Amino acid sequence: MGDAFLACDGRGKVTYLNAEAESLLGPAARLLGSILWQAVPEAVAPGLRDRFERTMAGTTPIEDEGRLETTGRWYRFRLLPVAGGLVLLLTDLSDRTNHRKYRRIDTAGHSARVAQLTTALASAITSDDVVGTVVEHVLPPFDATGLIIQAVERGGLRSVGCAGYPPVFTELIRTADATAIAEGTPAKDVLSAPHTLMFFPSPEELISSYPATADFVAIGGKNSWAFLPLVVSGRVIGFCCISWSRRRNLSENERALLEALSALIAQALERARLYEAEYTRAQELQRGMLPLALPTVPAVTATARFVATSGDIGGDWYDVIPLTSGRVALAIGDVMGHGLSEAVTMGRLRTAVHTLAALDLPPDELVLHLDNIVSGLGDDFCATFLYAVYDPVSGGCTFVSAGHPPPAIVYPDGTVSFPALALNPPLGAATPPFDTTELVLPEDSLVVMYTDGLIESRTRDIGRGIARLADLLDRTTGTAGRLPPDADHDAVANHLDLMGDALVSDLVPAQQTCDDAALLIARLHRLPSQDVASWLLPDTAMAAGEARQYTRDQLAVWDLDELAMTTELVVSELVGNVVRHAKGPVRLRLLRSDVLICEVSDGSLTTPHIRRAATTDEGGRGLQLIEALAHRWGTRHESTGKCIWTEQLLPSQG
């Protein structure tokens, strides 16, 4: 029998083969009992396992053709169902194959390459991914060694990718003028004739046609080039240049294949450009909703870091919000999920926190209102949130957490702790009230707040992440005691910046960025006791006079005599209103910070409001006077009543 013949059972095990099959595939001792599709090379019988199963399931023979790589000969294989199994016949076609047969099989190989490239490009997300896929799947089959892809952008060309060239050439391509497409270049002509492949088999031919490319040829070090237009829906979006280190000629089939591949590259590049444009806009939106810079306040020196995910955008955010009486609020949050809607929700929450903080609401009430906002967005939204209010006079720091990881506290001696805050569910899933935790923190302590993306990853759970953070804070730049107590603002800020960089680089490696990560570090400062003065006043008409005297004397001690007259008027009006319209006890407090703060507290919850007094009214102008004299003023409620406060700029600020 001239054909190679193999028989196998219903499970695919070879039970017999003739001498022709042995000479072609190997000795019977090795092949008998082996699996058919493992015994026969894939190139000779492509997809043999699948074809075996189809043949066993039916009664119709299956045949196709393949090529044995070791000999270069072509074979027709036929699978015939028989009782208890099937037989495989391999017929040598090489001596009978004519030019048409070779062309048909060559076309089949080209189709396979197109299919492979299509599959690879389907997973390419960015322009860099497209360039890498082309380098991997297009250059090797053609023995090419160089690739340039450029995209049309705003009337010029932008370099998308360059591979296989010297660094000086790559830099030349990257920094080339992108405002216009130079005349007399292959790029100009291939973009003008978008259905034509331009091939130059030698440097002489390229330079002869385009003299301006002489430097391009000399620096690039290539000897043959194919310029392919990239066309999507009839629109030219750029070109692709494939080059060879040796002189090369292209057959008609190779030209046709390159043109087919260029269409796939164009489609993939257009998808990548659209994705990158949308992703860039989303990132800009997300970053635009974060603080451009943290405010400079006397109570804290702070720094922050934000690391975006390598995939979709998320809803991590942070903020530092100045409050009244020198206090400051630290906030950090994380909207669950990824996408544009989560980023927008993050912006809404940050705006809401600013608005509610400006009302001087207690932390638990602020979080309650924030929870109502998230609940109103629907069941699909949920967010974690950590909020702290620090008072530089007392050193008290009030925390409230809504399902957020606990803050790290680094004490001046370097001790690191994670306080056990009152447990509250995330925003949108909570039931009020929200419990708070109050701590008194020493001066120069660090408060480190973060989102779960900083400590949690695919390879590290949240418990190990917190332990790693504690270790970094303890062993590296996190030790607050390494800075002297009298360090100036710039030294503290630089120290915190280095610390933030060290934490992010260790905890959020670039290659593992699967979630957004936000980090906020604040060093706490106390207001010196000599800058605080407080008096308890009688609940009588004598209170205003005493308040003026106390104020005058204290401003003299602080060398703020320039503010004495206006401050006495402010204090007199505030105390007079308390005596007339509220109830005791009455307390006056002056704070010298970056501004002069005057506070008058009483036991009433009634909030004063400015009103327009009529011409004949004897009263109603006091708050108008406060508005005219103070830089800012307002009211906040406390556990024992209310406090009316004013701020005046210091003489050097006026």
Side-chain angles (χ1 to χ4, degrees), residues 429-451:
T431 301
F434 289 88
D435 297 325
T436 61
T437 302
E438 296 188 10
L439 303 175
V440 176
L441 300 177
E443 184 172 12
D444 297 328
S445 296
L446 293 179
V447 176
V448 182
M449 303 165 73
Y450 50 90
T451 58

Side-chain angles (χ1 to χ4, degrees), residues 618-632:
E618 295 183 359
R621 298 178 178 82
L623 293 182
Q624 294 182 20
L625 179 64
I626 299 297
E627 178 74 22
L629 295 176
H631 176 62
R632 288 199 315 153

Side-chain angles (χ1 to χ4, degrees), residues 123-444:
S123 60
I125 298 176
T126 66
S127 297
D128 289 341
D129 294 339
V130 173
V131 173
T133 301
V134 174
V135 170
E136 181 179 354
H137 291 275
V138 176
L139 299 192
F142 293 93
D143 297 321
T145 58
L147 173 70
I148 299 172
I149 297 180
Q150 293 195 309
V152 176
E153 194 171 278
R154 299 178 182 176
L157 287 173
R158 177 181 64 86
S159 177
V160 176
C162 183
Y165 286 91
V168 61
F169 181 89
T170 302
E171 183 66 15
L172 180 66
I173 292 294
R174 189 185 66 82
T175 59
D177 182 13
T179 59
I181 303 174
E183 298 288 342
T185 61
K188 179 69 175 181
D189 288 350
V190 77
L191 296 174
S192 302
H195 301 291
T196 303
L197 179 150
M198 297 175 60
F199 180 69
F200 302 94
S202 67
E204 294 79 13
E205 187 169 337
L206 177 59
I207 296 173
S208 175
S209 301
Y210 300 97
T213 62
D215 291 340
F216 170 90
V217 172
I219 299 174
K222 305 300 180 183
N223 285 284
S224 294
W225 300 264
F227 290 85
L228 306 166
L230 301 178
V231 183
V232 176
S233 301
R235 178 171 54 89
V236 183
I237 66 167
F239 76 89
C240 171
C241 175
I242 296 175
S243 56
W244 291 261
S245 297
R246 298 180 179 180
R247 300 194 180 202
R248 179 77 148 76
N249 282 308
L250 292 179
S251 66
E252 289 299 321
N253 283 339
E254 288 176 323
R255 287 174 179 260
L257 178 58
L258 280 176
E259 290 176 350
L261 297 180
S262 70
L264 297 177
I265 297 170
Q267 294 285 348
L269 181 62
E270 182 70 356
R271 289 195 306 270
R273 292 174 66 192
L274 291 174
Y275 168 81
E276 289 170 341
E278 289 298 322
Y279 184 71
T280 299
R281 282 192 288 268
Q283 290 279 16
E284 290 174 351
L285 172 64
Q286 184 181 37
R287 292 192 178 277
M289 291 180 177
L290 293 172
L292 296 177
L294 296 179
T296 301
V297 293
V300 299
T301 303
T303 190
R305 294 293 182 272
F306 174 78
V307 182
T309 178
S310 55
D312 208 349
I313 61 173
D316 291 27
W317 62 280
Y318 57 85
D319 216 337
V320 175
I321 307 171
L323 301 177
T324 60
S325 302
R327 299 170 305 136
V328 65
L330 308 174
I332 194 165
D334 182 4
V335 178
M336 300 301 182
H338 294 87
L340 191 59
S341 61
E342 283 73 14
V344 172
T345 301
M346 174 266 286
R348 296 171 68 177
L349 292 184
R350 178 171 173 255
T351 301
V353 170
H354 263 270
T355 302
L356 296 170
L359 297 176
D360 260 326
L361 295 179
D364 55 337
E365 289 188 29
L366 182 144
V367 177
L368 174 61
H369 288 291
L370 209 60
D371 177 67
N372 292 334
I373 293 173
V374 176
S375 298
L377 298 176
D379 296 336
D380 295 335
F381 289 92
C382 183
T384 64
F385 180 58
L386 178 61
Y387 186 72
V389 174
Y390 172 65
D391 186 347
V393 176
S394 65
C397 194
T398 303
F399 292 92
V400 58
S401 172
H404 203 84
I409 307 298
V410 184
Y411 290 91
D413 63 358
T415 304
V416 180
S417 72
F418 291 83
L421 303 185
L423 298 178
N424 300 298
L427 301 176
T431 301
F434 289 88
D435 297 325
T436 61
T437 302
E438 296 188 10
L439 303 175
V440 176
L441 300 177
E443 184 172 12
D444 297 328

